[in-house]
Amino acid sequence: QVQLVESGGGSVQAGGSLRLSCAASGYTYSSNYIGWFRQAPGKGREGVAAIYTGLGGGSTYYPDSVKGRFTISQDNAKNTVYLQMNSLKPEDTAMYYCAATGFVIAPLSVGEYNYWGQGTQVTVSS
């Protein structure tokens, strides 16, 4: 089992920044991919960033909607993955979740992930 705890959400104005954290515990050695996902009210959950944390890792993945604005990174010593979000827009408003899995074909696909955190709310006002 892998436990994930997100933090760092909040309310910001458009153009602002937030950094989300995802602290992992448990059998973290089995989780080679960590992803960040978001779900806005009335919409499906979508991937916004993923990182390969396995041996020789560091590869990152982003959809076009956030590329250049969001950056995912890892701190192996702290078993923590971060999501730096800059130039935030009102359409970035959502509950943000981190998730973990051992192997994926599509790193930004919701269905690929086995373990999920409880989420942290991000609200961007115009």
Side-chain angles (χ1 to χ4, degrees):
Q1 287 284 351
V2 176
Q3 293 79 44
L4 303 169
V5 178
E6 304 95 335
S7 61
S11 297
V12 296
Q13 291 190 325
S17 299
L18 282 174
R19 189 178 78 157
L20 306 184
S21 299
C22 174
S25 61
Y27 292 101
T28 57
Y29 64 87
S30 65
S31 298
N32 292 319
Y33 287 86
I34 301 290
W36 280 100
F37 297 81
R38 68 185 180 188
Q39 187 166 16
K43 295 189 177 181
R45 195 169 295 190
E46 62 172 349
V48 296
I51 187 167
Y52 174 62
T53 62
L55 186 64
S59 297
T60 57
Y61 309 85
Y62 306 95
D64 288 343
S65 59
V66 307
K67 199 171 292 182
R69 300 190 298 122
F70 290 11
T71 303
I72 189 171
S73 61
Q74 59 178 330
D75 184 332
N76 289 334
K78 295 182 179 180
N79 276 345
T80 299
V81 170
Y82 303 98
L83 182 67
Q84 178 67 43
M85 305 186 294
N86 299 327
S87 302
L88 283 162
K89 305 175 182 180
E91 52 263 43
D92 294 319
T93 295
M95 184 70 79
Y96 282 70
Y97 302 87
C98 68
T101 192
F103 174 78
V104 298
I105 296 175
L108 296 175
S109 175
V110 171
E112 300 267 24
Y113 288 79
N114 305 114
Y115 304 102
W116 291 84
Q118 293 300 306
T120 186
Q121 178 68 37
V122 172
T123 302
V124 185
S125 58
S126 57

